[in-house]
Amino acid sequence: MSRPKPLSGFPEFLPGPRMVEQFVLDRLRETFELHGFASIETRAVEPVETLTKGGEIDKEVYTVRRIHADDGVPDELGLHYDLTVPFARYVLENAGQLQFPFRRYQIQKVWRGERPQEGRYREFTQADIDIVGSGELAAHHDVEIPLVALDAMERLHTDLGLPPVLMRVNNRRLAQGFYTGLEIGDTAAVLRIVDKLDKVGPDRVSELLVSEASLTEAQAKSCVSLATISSADETFVDEVRRLGVHTDELEAGMEQLAELVRTAGRYAPGRLVADLKIARGLDYYTGTVYETELQGYESLGSVASGGRYDALASDGRTTYPGVGFSVGVTRILAPLLGKQRLTVTRPVPTCVLVAVDAEETRAAAVAVASQLRQRGIPTEVAPKADKFGKQIRYADRRSIPYVWFGAGANDEVKDIRSGDQVGADPASWQPPSEDLRPRVVENWDE
Amino acid sequence: MSRPKPLSGFPEFLPGPRMVEQFVLDRLRETFELHGFASIETRAVEPVETLTKGGEIDKEVYTVRRIHADDGVPDELGLHYDLTVPFARYVLENAGQLQFPFRRYQIQKVWRGERPQEGRYREFTQADIDIVGSGELAAHHDVEIPLVALDAMERLHTDLGLPPVLMRVNNRRLAQGFYTGLEIGDTAAVLRIVDKLDKVGPDRVSELLVSEASLTEAQAKSCVSLATISSADETFVDEVRRLGVHTDELEAGMEQLAELVRTAGRYAPGRLVADLKIARGLDYYTGTVYETELQGYESLGSVASGGRYDALASDGRTTYPGVGFSVGVTRILAPLLGKQRLTVTRPVPTCVLVAVDAEETRAAAVAVASQLRQRGIPTEVAPKADKFGKQIRYADRRSIPYVWFGAGANDEVKDIRSGDQVGADPASWQPPSEDLRPRVVENWDE
């Protein structure tokens, strides 16, 4: 086999960057579990008919079939393109055995057969959280979910050095109530056009609202005014009121959004703004909607988003409302790792290399390594009996910080960074805790 | 959508069993890292031509294509059916950026489009470790790899209550050297027939060796005698010697196997036997080969296996020899979880439920929960303001051990198992460490 080439759209990491990814996934899992979310995994495949019901994404489904399937037999399975469709199916399938409200997180790969381009992948990892109720789900979960997401993203920032986030939040009820107050009928059309505000600007949105959604000039002006409101505190409420529209739905939506802004101000100050232009492409959101940018990486677009859907799933008798959030892990990491903004202190777990000076003493080296591992110290034994200098070089090339010499006879351990070498007992020696595991290093200065 | 049905061959777990799986994967990862193995993940797909080169498995490949691909365009990608083929490709692709010997572990799903049956899955999780060299790889790694695997399996036994294992080991050089000493030409044919020993018995194997591999009666008898040798210590060496065959290759293979048996006796007593009938189906093994049974679950067959291959990969100029081991995680867990041999103390991470007595006090409950989480205690806030009894019932249905009452005003925490309720400070209260996280419980008595 000659040297294979990477497949476009299918990112793979070298061991160092993969370690950063592991740390990120560990941190996400830890945070989700601290908030009481249980893990599930769903199979990679769903019936194609389930996957293609959704609308636009169906063009990107990868179908799957056995290589010796008869020609002419249609593909019946496809790879999931998100974690929401399989989760909805899982809830229906297992409803009798789940406790509602059911809180789950799910960290898995998803696949989309789209044209690969900057920031788009054909295989990528998502980390989703959702709370789903049976029949009903209280509105306070709309406040809870983005705070869990912010807690997770903040840990990635403070613990691992990822950029801080800015979450932009809106509420579909607010917009819906406002439009109804203006006596606009086709609110979905308005949402779709308002969603283009950043791309085409307020004047063009106004024009489109008139020409495509049949709004009056005055209605269009009000809609644009609403969409340009944004505040990091509750002042957005007064700004909306000044537009002179009043409906119960609008009030309810504003109160929900204000509650979220207030709570976020307490637990995640500076990380969340009410931004009334946020619409999200997907039609099934019915309450709060969220988007999240990485500060300094706004061009990546939203790297984490979600919202409230009143019908995540339904089996005809019972409807399961949900509120959730999805973090695009690959979308966040691939650019940061590609530019080496985040690296690790070493691309191997190994903290100690036990040197072997002659093959006859390998057993003694293996015994020392075993003792160190029993106390949680990642250790490997030198692959080759060799001279002092070569053993050091082996460790150095992998950034392994310690080399153990004289195993079982004259035990000494050398910190190859400082050159310090001291006598050590394999039954009790402990490295400084910051050396025990590889750590993530930020490189923002280059 | 009406209630969906499971897809045969694609196992999915409820949150409780999934938690057991997570603990198993965590333990495997931890052990592999303690031995200095770095994680990699490869994409789910490989070019079909790579996947179908191998031989028998190619019938089971799942091909993948975009749903709107032109008819008549052949599928070019398939889902990987093991982690060895993608690892070999990864090594070739990244050889210039890896340090050899390269130690990696890889825990991922694989897919095989085979007919589903007891113990066979179409999607399942494997956990692989391999050490691969560039050009050469020392023989002591043949001893190291099974010991890492035994270390991992032993932790699953002692920490999580999985059954203990018995590893059966052989060495291809030993068999090869023996056959050569008997002047047998087609040793591959002999290996294939000897592999059937357990299924058809020694007499039938003797017959087949004569009729299908053209051996003399005497040669066949010797081969069967070799294959029936098995010992938990080095006595197998004397038993082989008594068969009166002597070649350097045989001696080298015996010495390797004896070294492994000796070392395993020290680090994993009672868990490994030399068993000279083990051949493994796959042709590429060239040195040590291993199979592993779960004690008491022998009918599952080998749940973890591997061996030495002198050419894991080659780019024409450089050959990469390797030695590895693959644990069939789903194969081990699905039966144990299905029979509820392993369960968890609770199917949610939550240790504390903070009660809410009226919606107006929710903010105080959220504040207490946040304080507890900051100290690493998984906590959720009651979804509904409700009476004392209903809050207890909510926790009880999920086996959450503690309910926190009077948040921010009159803080008390109740152990709902004992009924004990005591005053508590959210800034310092700590549950007993055995309650902090869910634990695996063994149920062998039913």
Side-chain angles (χ1 to χ4, degrees):
Chain A
M1 193 197 265
S2 58
R3 191 172 156 198
K5 287 194 185 59
L7 280 181
S8 175
F10 291 88
E12 280 184 339
F13 299 135
L14 284 167
R18 162 63 182 158
M19 225 177 245
V20 177
E21 184 186 42
Q22 282 186 295
F23 292 147
V24 165
L25 297 176
D26 289 347
R27 231 37 84 109
L28 291 175
R29 169 180 169 185
E30 203 181 300
T31 312
F32 299 158
E33 292 182 354
L34 277 175
H35 287 267
F37 290 79
S39 169
I40 70 161
E41 282 201 342
T42 56
R43 62 189 190 227
V45 296
E46 297 294 331
V48 164
E49 55 167 50
T50 313
L51 293 169
T52 52
K53 237 188 289 192
E56 288 202 17
I57 283 175
D58 65 358
K59 286 196 286 292
E60 302 169 356
V61 168
Y62 273 119
T63 59
V64 158
R65 62 172 180 176
R66 297 181 61 204
I67 197 166
H68 288 303
D70 292 340
D71 279 337
V73 175
D75 302 311
E76 283 172 9
L77 296 175
L79 296 173
H80 57 218
Y81 54 77
D82 72 6
L83 302 177
T84 305
V85 169
F87 175 55
R89 190 263 311 153
Y90 180 97
V91 166
L92 289 182
E93 191 175 314
N94 300 294
Q97 293 163 279
L98 300 174
Q99 296 289 339
F100 294 97
F102 175 50
R103 306 159 72 87
R104 85 84 172 81
Y105 73 90
Q106 189 169 351
I107 300 177
Q108 282 185 261
K109 297 215 170 110
V110 304
W111 294 270
R112 295 188 188 173
E114 57 182 333
R115 197 185 303 267
Q117 50 176 302
E118 182 76 26
R120 296 276 166 185
Y121 306 98
R122 294 183 150 193
E123 175 178 68
F124 54 101
T125 299
Q126 286 197 332
D128 280 27
I129 51 171
D130 284 273
I131 302 174
V132 60
S134 175
E136 51 172 10
L137 184 71
H140 58 77
H141 294 298
D142 283 45
V143 175
E144 182 182 9
I145 282 281
L147 288 175
V148 176
L150 283 174
D151 193 4
M153 300 305 285
E154 195 67 12
R155 277 166 209 256
L156 298 183
H157 171 55
T158 54
D159 295 0
L160 301 179
L162 273 73
V165 298
L166 183 66
M167 187 181 284
R168 300 177 184 280
V169 198
N170 194 5
N171 190 296
R172 275 281 166 89
R173 297 179 70 186
L174 189 164
Q176 186 79 37
F178 187 87
Y179 300 155
T180 309
L182 288 175
E183 296 185 332
I184 294 171
D186 186 358
T187 57
V190 174
L191 278 170
R192 260 196 308 278
I193 295 169
V194 167
D195 204 21
K196 299 176 182 167
L197 188 65
D198 276 343
K199 238 184 252 168
V200 303
D203 292 346
R204 182 71 187 133
V205 165
S206 253
E207 284 170 30
L208 289 170
L209 287 172
V210 172
S211 64
E212 294 192 2
S214 310
L215 265 55
T216 66
E217 296 276 351
Q219 284 173 324
K221 191 159 166 283
S222 287
C223 289
V224 169
S225 296
L226 183 77
T228 50
I229 291 173
S230 164
S231 75
D233 54 25
E234 292 178 67
T235 53
F236 77 88
V237 175
D238 288 337
E239 290 189 61
V240 174
R241 293 222 170 100
R242 271 199 289 275
L243 298 178
V245 178
H246 300 283
T247 65
D248 290 349
E249 186 77 351
L250 170 61
E251 284 301 318
M254 282 205 292
E255 179 41 42
Q256 273 194 5
L257 190 53
E259 171 67 16
L260 174 53
V261 171
R262 268 195 301 274
T263 314
R266 200 171 311 136
Y267 294 99
R271 299 289 185 240
L272 183 144
V273 294
D275 186 338
L276 305 197
K277 73 171 174 296
I278 301 300
R280 302 295 309 149
L282 298 164
D283 286 338
Y284 49 72
Y285 291 123
T286 51
T288 318
V289 287
Y290 335 98
E291 284 186 7
T292 315
E293 293 166 355
L294 284 187
Q295 293 186 27
Y297 289 80
E298 287 78 4
S299 64
L300 290 177
S302 179
V303 296
S305 56
R308 163 87 179 208
Y309 21 67
D310 283 341
L312 170 72
S314 173
D315 60 10
R317 276 165 309 147
T318 311
T319 296
Y320 299 89
V323 53
F325 209 93
S326 176
V327 180
V329 177
T330 307
R331 195 152 182 194
I332 292 173
L333 282 181
L336 295 176
L337 295 171
K339 289 178 183 150
Q340 303 199 293
R341 294 298 190 203
L342 298 171
T343 56
V344 275
T345 48
R346 55 184 191 261
V348 293
T350 315
C351 175
V352 180
L353 175 76
V354 182
V356 176
D357 49 6
E359 280 303 329
E360 302 77 62
T361 64
R362 177 169 298 278
V366 168
V368 166
S370 171
Q371 279 183 283
L372 294 176
R373 284 185 203 116
Q374 270 164 39
R375 292 185 296 103
I377 303 168
T379 304
E380 50 178 296
V381 175
K384 209 171 148 188
D386 226 327
K387 280 176 291 206
F388 187 88
K390 289 220 172 163
Q391 307 267 359
I392 302 273
R393 219 168 310 149
Y394 178 93
D396 191 38
R397 266 201 299 264
R398 291 160 177 79
S399 302
I400 297 171
Y402 297 96
V403 179
W404 193 283
F405 291 103
N410 193 9
D411 293 278
E412 295 199 341
V413 65
K414 184 187 204 68
D415 181 332
I416 68 164
R417 299 158 301 185
S418 65
D420 294 346
Q421 184 165 339
V422 294
D425 180 350
S428 61
W429 178 82
Q430 196 71 33
S433 64
E434 69 269 24
D435 285 339
L436 191 60
R437 308 268 166 192
R439 280 171 296 111
V440 175
V441 183
E442 306 164 48
N443 311 289
W444 299 106
D445 302 333
E446 301 157 28
Chain B
M1 194 199 265
S2 59
R3 190 170 158 201
K5 287 192 186 60
L7 279 181
S8 175
F10 291 89
E12 280 184 338
F13 298 135
L14 285 168
R18 162 63 183 158
M19 226 178 246
V20 177
E21 184 186 42
Q22 281 186 297
F23 292 147
V24 165
L25 297 177
D26 289 347
R27 231 38 82 111
L28 292 174
R29 170 180 168 185
E30 202 181 301
T31 312
F32 298 157
E33 292 182 354
L34 276 175
H35 287 266
F37 291 79
S39 168
I40 70 160
E41 282 200 344
T42 55
R43 62 189 189 225
V45 295
E46 296 294 332
V48 163
E49 56 166 51
T50 312
L51 294 169
T52 53
K53 237 188 291 196
E56 290 204 15
I57 284 175
D58 65 357
K59 286 196 284 294
E60 302 169 355
V61 168
Y62 273 119
T63 58
V64 157
R65 62 172 178 176
R66 297 181 61 204
I67 197 165
H68 288 304
D70 293 339
D71 280 338
V73 175
D75 302 311
E76 283 171 9
L77 296 175
L79 296 174
H80 56 219
Y81 54 77
D82 72 5
L83 302 177
T84 305
V85 170
F87 175 55
R89 190 261 313 152
Y90 180 95
V91 166
L92 289 183
E93 190 175 314
N94 299 294
Q97 293 164 278
L98 301 173
Q99 296 290 339
F100 294 97
F102 175 50
R103 306 159 72 88
R104 84 86 171 81
Y105 73 90
Q106 189 169 350
I107 301 177
Q108 283 187 256
K109 297 212 170 113
V110 305
W111 294 269
R112 293 186 190 175
E114 59 183 332
R115 198 184 304 267
Q117 48 176 305
E118 183 77 25
R120 297 276 166 186
Y121 306 98
R122 296 184 148 191
E123 176 179 68
F124 54 102
T125 299
Q126 286 197 333
D128 279 28
I129 52 172
D130 284 273
I131 301 175
V132 60
S134 174
E136 52 172 10
L137 185 72
H140 59 75
H141 294 299
D142 283 44
V143 177
E144 182 181 10
I145 282 281
L147 289 175
V148 177
L150 283 174
D151 192 5
M153 300 307 285
E154 195 67 13
R155 278 166 208 256
L156 298 183
H157 172 54
T158 53
D159 296 0
L160 301 179
L162 273 74
V165 297
L166 184 66
M167 186 181 286
R168 299 177 186 280
V169 197
N170 194 3
N171 190 296
R172 275 281 166 89
R173 298 180 69 186
L174 190 163
Q176 185 79 37
F178 188 87
Y179 300 154
T180 309
L182 288 174
E183 297 184 334
I184 294 171
D186 187 359
T187 56
V190 176
L191 278 170
R192 259 196 310 277
I193 295 170
V194 167
D195 204 22
K196 299 178 182 166
L197 190 64
D198 276 344
K199 240 185 250 169
V200 303
D203 294 346
R204 181 73 186 129
V205 164
S206 254
E207 286 170 29
L208 289 171
L209 286 173
V210 172
S211 64
E212 295 194 0
S214 312
L215 266 54
T216 65
E217 296 276 354
Q219 285 174 323
K221 190 161 166 283
S222 287
C223 289
V224 169
S225 297
L226 183 77
T228 49
I229 292 173
S230 164
S231 76
D233 54 25
E234 293 177 67
T235 54
F236 77 88
V237 174
D238 288 337
E239 291 190 60
V240 175
R241 292 225 169 98
R242 272 199 288 275
L243 298 178
V245 178
H246 299 284
T247 64
D248 291 349
E249 185 78 352
L250 170 60
E251 284 301 319
M254 284 205 291
E255 179 40 43
Q256 272 194 5
L257 190 54
E259 171 66 17
L260 173 53
V261 171
R262 270 194 301 274
T263 314
R266 201 171 309 137
Y267 294 100
R271 299 288 185 243
L272 183 143
V273 295
D275 186 339
L276 305 197
K277 73 172 176 293
I278 301 301
R280 302 295 308 150
L282 298 164
D283 286 337
Y284 50 73
Y285 291 124
T286 51
T288 320
V289 288
Y290 334 98
E291 285 186 6
T292 315
E293 292 167 355
L294 285 187
Q295 293 187 27
Y297 289 79
E298 287 78 4
S299 63
L300 290 178
S302 178
V303 295
S305 56
R308 164 86 178 207
Y309 19 68
D310 283 340
L312 170 72
S314 171
D315 61 9
R317 276 166 308 147
T318 310
T319 296
Y320 299 88
V323 53
F325 210 94
S326 177
V327 180
V329 177
T330 305
R331 194 151 182 194
I332 293 173
L333 282 181
L336 295 175
L337 294 171
K339 289 177 182 150
Q340 303 198 295
R341 293 297 188 205
L342 298 171
T343 56
V344 274
T345 48
R346 56 183 190 262
V348 293
T350 314
C351 176
V352 180
L353 175 75
V354 182
V356 176
D357 49 9
E359 281 302 331
E360 303 76 63
T361 64
R362 177 168 298 277
V366 168
V368 165
S370 171
Q371 278 182 285
L372 295 175
R373 283 185 206 117
Q374 269 164 40
R375 292 183 298 104
I377 305 167
T379 305
E380 51 179 294
V381 175
K384 208 171 149 187
D386 225 328
K387 279 176 291 205
F388 188 88
K390 290 223 172 161
Q391 308 268 358
I392 302 273
R393 219 168 311 149
Y394 178 93
D396 191 39
R397 266 200 300 263
R398 291 161 178 78
S399 302
I400 298 170
Y402 297 96
V403 179
W404 193 283
F405 292 103
N410 193 8
D411 293 278
E412 294 199 342
V413 66
K414 182 186 205 71
D415 181 334
I416 69 165
R417 296 157 304 184
S418 65
D420 294 345
Q421 186 164 337
V422 294
D425 180 350
S428 61
W429 178 83
Q430 196 71 33
S433 66
E434 70 267 24
D435 286 339
L436 192 59
R437 308 269 165 191
R439 279 172 296 112
V440 175
V441 183
E442 306 165 52
N443 310 290
W444 300 105
D445 304 333
E446 300 156 27

